[in-house]
């Protein structure tokens, strides 16, 4: 069952699909974008991501925190949150990734899932709101690409903040005046489930960033190390030295980028030992 906001979004998606299909040039570009979105490396990452999410859901179901009625909100979380977290995996490079991501997701999802989406407006008003937010979001994304749009960016952020405050104010008013409908198990599930899913998804994002870090470093090592045996040794020693520590791996990658050109195994050992002592 779709609420008015979800129904309005579905209507606009349907309209957009019809519009894209009816214009040959746009249709061709759209299919090219779809093809790029499902490039083989990305497709593999999606499959692994969905497998990971399935394991999370099975675990939550086993302890009684997920049931089939939660499928719609789970799908919505997957499309609107999980994919964004996946494509924004570079944030995991920071040493405080888990702490910062936990706080950001907690704050964002409390507002988004628990307050803003708790109460919706009439369908006609939601149909107006969906493209409005789409236009504002697109303008904000463009404004963030260049410093010369800084004033526009500030204005758009102010507008979005004011609209958000209106939504929160409306939702808070409805909570106070309609508390009996608010205090239900469904409401509680809508509150905790997206937060729980996001927190459980953080390790996956971290390992994606870790894999990308090793892959980038090993590609660059091919230009630093001419001897195939030394190259293989350098890769093996790097994995043993840094394991799952993404932050140290990135520091090591920066360190050897301008300093080292390994010609022997001994040089690899000395470089890693020196770096470890310095860190």
């Amino acid at each position: 069952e779709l609420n008015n906001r979800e129904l309005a979004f579905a209507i606009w998606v349907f309209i957009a699909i019809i519009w894209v299909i009816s214009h040959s040039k746009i249709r061709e570009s759209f299919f090219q974008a779809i093809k790029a979105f499902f490039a083989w490396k990305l497709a593999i990452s999606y499959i692994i991501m969905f497998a990971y999410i399935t394991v999370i859901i099975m675990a939550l179901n086993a302890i009684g925190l997920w049931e089939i009625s939660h499928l719609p909100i789970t799908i919505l979380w997957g499309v609107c949150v999980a994919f964004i977290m996946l494509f924004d995996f570079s944030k995991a490079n920071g040493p405080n990734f888990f702490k910062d991501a936990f706080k950001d997701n907690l704050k964002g999802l409390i507002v988004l899932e628990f307050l803003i989406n708790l109460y919706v407006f009439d369908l006609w008003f939601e149909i107006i709101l969906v493209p409005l937010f789409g236009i504002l979001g697109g303008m904000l994304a463009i404004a963030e690409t260049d410093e010369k749009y800084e004033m526009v960016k500030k204005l758009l952020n102010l507008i979005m903040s004011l609209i958000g405050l209106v939504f929160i104010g409306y939702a808070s008013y409805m909570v106070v005046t309609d508390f009996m409908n608010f205090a239900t198990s469904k409401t509680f599930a809508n509150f905790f489930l997206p937060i729980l899913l996001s927190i459980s998804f953080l390790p996956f994002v971290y390992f994606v960033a870790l894999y990308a870090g090793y892959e980038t470093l090993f590609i660059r090592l091919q230009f630093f190390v001419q001897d195939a045996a030394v190259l293989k040794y350098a890769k093996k020693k790097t994995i043993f030295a840094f394991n799952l520590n993404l932050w140290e791996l990135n520091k090591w990658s920066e360190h050897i980028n301008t300093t080292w050109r390994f010609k022997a195994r001994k040089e690899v050992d000395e470089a890693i030992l020196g770096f470890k002592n310095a860190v």
Side-chain angles (χ1 to χ4, degrees):
E1 182 181 355
L2 300 177
N3 62 33
N4 285 343
R5 187 161 301 155
E6 293 163 344
L7 185 58
F9 181 77
I11 290 171
W12 277 109
V13 168
F14 179 75
I15 292 172
I17 291 173
I18 296 299
W19 182 74
V20 167
I21 293 175
S22 63
H23 293 76
S24 58
K25 291 184 178 180
I26 298 175
R27 182 173 63 246
E28 184 179 348
S29 299
F30 176 74
F31 286 132
Q32 288 295 326
I34 293 295
K35 184 178 179 181
F37 185 77
F38 287 100
W40 72 270
K41 274 194 174 183
L42 291 176
I44 291 174
S45 67
Y46 304 152
I47 293 171
I48 298 173
M49 180 184 79
F50 287 132
Y52 181 87
I53 293 173
T54 301
V55 171
I56 293 175
I57 291 172
M58 291 174 65
L60 294 176
N61 178 257
I63 59 177
L65 295 179
W66 192 93
E67 55 188 38
I68 194 64
S69 62
H70 296 148
L71 185 60
I73 194 172
T74 303
I75 294 174
L76 185 64
W77 169 85
V79 174
C80 298
V81 179
F83 268 105
I84 294 175
M85 292 175 68
L86 176 65
F87 286 118
D88 207 18
F89 68 84
S90 59
K91 286 186 177 180
N93 290 322
N96 299 318
F97 165 66
F98 283 100
K99 183 177 71 175
D100 294 341
F102 176 81
K103 291 191 297 184
D104 290 343
N105 278 282
L106 191 63
K107 291 185 294 185
L109 286 168
I110 285 176
V111 174
L112 179 64
E113 299 293 343
F114 190 54
L115 289 177
I116 294 178
N117 285 333
L118 180 61
Y119 291 100
V120 298
F121 302 102
D122 292 335
L123 181 59
W124 68 268
F125 193 57
E126 291 291 345
I127 290 176
I128 296 173
L129 284 178
V130 169
L132 175 62
F133 279 120
I135 292 170
L136 288 174
M139 292 173 63
L140 184 60
I142 294 172
E144 290 178 342
T145 61
D146 199 316
E147 291 184 0
K148 67 181 180 181
Y149 300 131
E150 185 63 27
M151 292 300 296
V152 178
K153 177 183 174 182
K154 289 181 179 179
L155 176 61
L156 291 171
N157 278 324
L158 177 61
I159 293 173
M160 295 290 278
S161 298
L162 291 175
I163 293 175
L165 287 174
V166 171
F167 271 66
I168 293 173
Y170 172 75
S172 301
Y173 169 78
M174 294 300 293
V175 167
V176 173
T177 58
D178 191 26
F179 186 77
M180 293 306 295
N181 287 328
F182 166 78
T184 64
S185 58
K186 181 180 179 181
T187 301
F188 183 67
N190 288 342
F191 169 69
F192 81 80
L193 189 59
I195 297 174
L196 197 57
L197 289 170
S198 292
I199 293 172
S200 302
F201 193 64
L202 290 178
F204 179 81
V205 177
Y206 181 84
F207 278 105
V208 169
L210 185 69
Y211 175 83
Y214 273 113
E215 183 181 42
T216 302
L217 173 60
F218 290 166
I219 290 173
R220 286 189 11 247
L221 273 177
Q222 297 175 14
F223 299 97
F224 299 161
V225 184
Q226 301 300 319
D227 190 309
V230 176
L231 174 63
K232 184 177 180 180
Y233 182 77
K235 291 180 179 180
K236 183 178 69 174
K237 289 294 291 186
T238 297
I239 293 173
F240 282 129
F242 302 104
N243 294 302
L244 304 180
N245 193 325
L246 178 59
W247 183 74
E248 278 198 5
L249 176 67
N250 288 330
K251 289 293 183 182
W252 166 248
S253 181
E254 293 174 5
H255 178 68
I256 65 172
N257 187 38
T258 56
T259 309
W260 297 93
R261 298 293 186 272
F262 303 121
K263 296 181 180 179
R265 297 185 179 188
K266 183 180 179 181
E267 292 181 357
V268 176
D269 294 334
E270 290 175 350
I272 291 178
L273 180 61
F275 174 82
K276 284 283 191 178
N277 290 334
V279 174

